[in-house]
Amino acid sequence: GDYTVTLTVSDPAGNSTATAVVHVLPKPTIAKIKSIWLTAYPANDTSGNPWDATDGPDIYFKLFRSTDTAAVANYDTSVFSNITSLPVTLDLNSNMYQIPALTDIMYIAAFDDDGASPDPIIKIKVGFRMSDYTTTHPSTIHIRQPAAADSVAFTLGIQWQ
């Protein structure tokens, strides 16, 4: 809503008053993921081998919700081939993923597309909950798991509504 705010400042020389109308937006109840950046991943797979023998991994992303066994969003048709530098960025502006509830525990994971079934996950699923960010409603969130040199890290672009 709109609120009229008045500020009065006083000192020994007198006082001054300013008035302004402040528009306060309602608290967002919806969060949509509009982009995914992979910002760190280990150089080797869990066996200690490079992801691919002659070049970098072929990366795609999946989103999971803790209450679902299957991915809730699978971006395996958007493969980034032979990645040798970061970040890897998936733009979802034309088809943002709406998180079902701000209190849902969500996970994001990167996979190496090797044509195998299933493709190997790059390290681990990284968890987040949008209700942890409702105080500031940031336009990006940074998540990392585990907090080590060989961790996997993501930045998510968020649109609040």
Side-chain angles (χ1 to χ4, degrees):
D2 292 330
Y3 300 90
T4 302
V5 178
T6 303
L7 173 66
T8 302
V9 177
S10 300
D11 68 9
N15 60 40
S16 180
T17 300
T19 301
V21 175
V22 176
H23 181 73
V24 178
L25 297 173
K27 181 179 177 179
T29 57
I30 296 172
K32 294 181 179 181
I33 298 174
K34 62 181 187 175
S35 58
I36 300 169
W37 292 283
L38 176 64
T39 57
Y41 68 92
N44 298 318
D45 65 18
T46 55
S47 300
N49 300 314
W51 288 104
D52 291 344
T54 59
D55 49 32
D58 307 309
I59 292 176
Y60 67 91
F61 304 105
K62 289 184 183 181
L63 288 169
F64 301 85
R65 188 169 61 171
S66 64
T67 57
D68 298 318
T69 55
V72 294
N74 185 350
Y75 302 105
D76 63 353
T77 58
S78 299
V79 177
F80 298 88
S81 298
N82 305 322
I83 298 303
T84 57
S85 65
L86 294 172
V88 176
T89 305
L90 177 62
D91 182 354
L92 299 173
N93 274 313
S94 62
N95 190 23
M96 289 186 249
Y97 177 76
Q98 181 173 322
I99 295 173
L102 298 181
T103 56
D104 283 344
I105 298 171
M106 303 294 297
Y107 296 92
I108 185 165
F111 291 81
D112 181 17
D113 182 16
D114 286 336
S117 183
D119 286 322
I121 189 170
I122 294 186
K123 189 68 175 178
I124 193 169
K125 293 179 189 174
V126 180
F128 63 97
R129 184 176 42 213
M130 293 311 300
S131 60
D132 293 341
Y133 302 94
T134 55
T135 302
T136 59
H137 303 100
S139 59
T140 57
I141 63 170
H142 309 283
I143 53 178
R144 176 180 289 270
Q145 191 99 18
D150 67 342
S151 67
V152 61
F154 298 92
T155 297
L156 303 178
I158 305 295
Q159 178 179 309
W160 296 91
Q161 297 177 335

